[in-house]
Amino acid sequence: QVQLVESGGGLVQPGGSLRLSCAASGSIFSIDNMGWYRQAPGRQRELVAVITSGGSTNYADSVKGRFTISRDNAKNTVYLQMNSLKPEDTAVYYCNAHIWVVAGSDDDYWGQGTQVTVSS
């Protein structure tokens, strides 16, 4: 009933920028926290950034000062602006959202993942 669709991944050179988007659709009543996670080959999935329904943000130390998370509640969309990209940012990026559906239940939902590759 709820789907999160990601877009914006791709191949960029070190120092470049990308903007990821994740749009939620379906029988949504409200969305609480939203976030971005990433997983590189051979590594654990890690939290990149989160944003609360009130707009408070937190970032992993590795991306602080380079990445910015934001959300557009009217569009049920969360964004991740990634600047000054480094090769170590290469990973599959997943969006996550805690969503209340109109039927009254709530759960965490995940996007399909989008590949970000930073390479010269």
Side-chain angles (χ1 to χ4, degrees):
Q1 195 66 55
V2 174
Q3 184 180 35
L4 272 59
V5 179
E6 302 180 34
S7 62
L11 173 65
V12 296
Q13 296 189 155
S17 297
L18 284 174
R19 182 176 175 85
L20 306 183
S21 299
C22 176
S25 62
S27 301
I28 298 170
F29 179 77
S30 65
I31 303 178
D32 292 327
N33 294 351
M34 306 183 82
W36 290 94
Y37 295 75
R38 68 186 182 187
Q39 187 165 18
R43 298 189 62 180
Q44 295 284 105
R45 184 185 67 180
E46 64 175 340
L47 177 66
V48 177
V50 294
I51 183 167
T52 70
S53 60
S56 297
T57 59
N58 282 288
Y59 300 90
D61 288 340
S62 59
V63 308
K64 197 171 300 180
R66 300 187 297 120
F67 291 10
T68 302
I69 188 171
S70 61
R71 64 192 288 170
D72 185 337
N73 291 330
K75 297 180 178 179
N76 290 332
T77 299
V78 62
Y79 305 94
L80 186 68
Q81 178 66 47
M82 304 184 293
N83 298 326
S84 301
L85 283 161
K86 305 174 180 179
E88 50 263 46
D89 295 319
T90 296
V92 178
Y93 285 70
Y94 299 90
C95 68
N96 169 269
H98 192 88
I99 297 175
W100 288 84
V101 297
V102 295
S105 62
D106 65 293
D107 204 354
D108 279 344
Y109 293 86
W110 292 88
Q112 81 279 9
T114 185
Q115 177 70 47
V116 172
T117 302
V118 185
S119 176
S120 59

